[in-house]
Amino acid sequence: MAVQVNGFFHEGTGTISYIVVDNERRHAVIIDSVLDFDLSSGEVSAEFADKQLAFLRDNKLQLDWILDTHAHADHLSAANYLRTKTSVKTVIGEGIKIVEDHFAKTFNHESQSTHLYQAFDRLLTEGETLDFGSASLQGMSTPGHTSDSQSYVIEDNIFVGDTLFMPDGGTARCDFPGGDAGLLWDSISRIHQLPAHYKIWVCHDYQPQGRELRYQTTVGESRSSNIHVNSQMDKAQYVALRNTRDKTLAVPKLLYPSLQVNLQSGVLPEPESNGMRYIKIPLTDNTH
């Protein structure tokens, strides 16, 4: 029995979201869906997520789970929107608790009596499985990019989020709070220990040298050809390379909007007394 993987590319954020289908019973899961968000105007919409819902309807699929690989810093998750439309439960790795702790002071959440991560319906632990139709997925903790990074293994497919890119794109940055290049090396080593034919599905492809979009490689290809983690590179070399490279990277433009939504399963901030919702931008005052 083989599942079918359907990729959906969100051009505005360069994100690839997946609908994975159990062909036998016509059940499905969604991984890393995206809300449309215009930073300049503050407009939030759901054209992308609606296309995925239409795909489910058109193909007569039963959605069983809505999954995020981590609390993304470059797009707003559509998890809560999809949940409101389908009543299907949302899932993320239990490391989301650590990520919330890292940003509690940044967003002034330290005094809150409830945790943002409680907005998720399920926090998946290492090795835990979820069924959909006659298929199942298994959580694989892959921290390093973030503390909550979790990959999902479905048959001979692994959905790695931002942990790995295509071989010519390398690996994810590790300079966010809780990021750790040494941990990322260890996580990728675990992925590379899977059978060589296993298919790796990435969440972003930055199309080096302008090549065509690609979002699937294999464990064997990644193991031998990834420009950051391959047989010619050891852990110490990788950590030095990753840390040096990360110092040159700009802060993602959607970092603060994304985290304020994604730490709570895609739930938008509550309306204030005037009925409007607001995103906070922490300021660093260097004027004195």
Side-chain angles (χ1 to χ4, degrees), residues 65-78:
W65 301 101
I66 301 161
L67 305 117
D68 276 302
T69 53
H70 63 296
H72 300 268
D74 47 23
H75 69 261
L76 276 61
S77 170

Side-chain angles (χ1 to χ4, degrees), residues 13 37 44-45 65-66 76 90 109 128 139 143 157 170 219 272 284:
T13 61
F37 175 60
V44 182
S45 56
W65 301 101
I66 301 161
L76 276 61
T90 59
H109 291 157
E128 189 175 1
N157 304 277
V219 167
E272 298 192 9
T284 301

Side-chain angles (χ1 to χ4, degrees), residues 152-211:
Y152 298 109
V153 181
I154 305 176
E155 295 184 355
D156 59 354
N157 304 277
I158 179 166
F159 299 84
V160 297
D162 292 0
T163 295
L164 274 167
F165 300 139
M166 295 301 295
D168 58 351
T171 62
R173 65 195 296 167
C174 298
D175 57 334
F176 297 142
D180 186 300
L183 276 180
L184 185 58
W185 171 275
D186 294 340
S187 294
I188 292 171
S189 295
R190 289 189 66 202
I191 293 171
H192 282 173
Q193 287 168 11
L194 293 170
H197 73 278
Y198 270 44
K199 295 179 282 292
I200 293 173
W201 302 88
V202 302
C203 190
H204 293 284
D205 180 33
Y206 299 108
Q207 299 171 264
Q209 280 73 57
R211 65 152 168 75

Side-chain angles (χ1 to χ4, degrees), residues 79-279:
N80 185 61
Y81 175 78
L82 293 168
R83 175 170 54 188
T84 61
K85 294 295 183 181
T86 63
S87 299
V88 171
K89 292 182 177 180
T90 59
V91 182
I92 201 168
E94 64 175 352
I96 190 68
K97 297 178 182 179
I98 303 173
V99 177
E100 182 179 341
D101 285 344
H102 286 313
F103 286 97
K105 184 175 182 180
T106 302
F107 296 123
N108 198 26
H109 291 157
E110 292 175 302
S111 61
Q112 290 187 177
S113 58
T114 59
H115 292 286
L116 298 177
Y117 64 74
Q118 291 174 318
F120 289 93
D121 297 303
R122 188 79 171 259
L123 303 185
L124 210 62
T125 60
E126 164 67 29
E128 189 175 1
T129 60
L130 298 174
D131 294 331
F132 61 105
S134 59
S136 65
L137 63 89
Q138 183 176 59
M140 181 178 180
S141 181
T142 48
H145 170 58
T146 60
S147 301
D148 63 331
S149 293
Q150 176 161 254
S151 299
Y152 298 109
V153 181
I154 305 176
E155 295 184 355
D156 59 354
N157 304 277
I158 179 166
F159 299 84
V160 297
D162 292 0
T163 295
L164 274 167
F165 300 139
M166 295 301 295
D168 58 351
T171 62
R173 65 195 296 167
C174 298
D175 57 334
F176 297 142
D180 186 300
L183 276 180
L184 185 58
W185 171 275
D186 294 340
S187 294
I188 292 171
S189 295
R190 289 189 66 202
I191 293 171
H192 282 173
Q193 287 168 11
L194 293 170
H197 73 278
Y198 270 44
K199 295 179 282 292
I200 293 173
W201 302 88
V202 302
C203 190
H204 293 284
D205 180 33
Y206 299 108
Q207 299 171 264
Q209 280 73 57
R211 65 152 168 75
E212 291 185 359
L213 179 70
R214 289 185 62 201
Y215 41 85
Q216 186 262 308
T217 183
T218 64
V219 167
E221 182 182 13
S222 181
R223 193 163 54 201
S224 64
S225 305
N226 188 286
I227 60 172
H228 292 167
V229 281
N230 54 63
S231 59
Q232 307 304 312
M233 180 81 68
D234 63 27
K235 183 174 181 177
Q237 290 173 312
Y238 171 73
V239 170
L241 179 150
R242 186 69 265 170
N243 289 341
T244 299
R245 179 171 172 77
D246 286 349
K247 291 176 183 177
T248 70
L249 300 178
V251 174
K253 65 179 181 179
L254 295 184
L255 174 70
Y256 292 127
S258 295
L259 286 173
Q260 285 169 78
V261 171
N262 297 345
L263 286 172
Q264 52 184 352
S265 191
V267 177
L268 298 176
E270 286 295 315
E272 298 192 9
S273 58
N274 61 354
M276 297 290 292
R277 303 177 192 269
Y278 293 90
I279 291 289

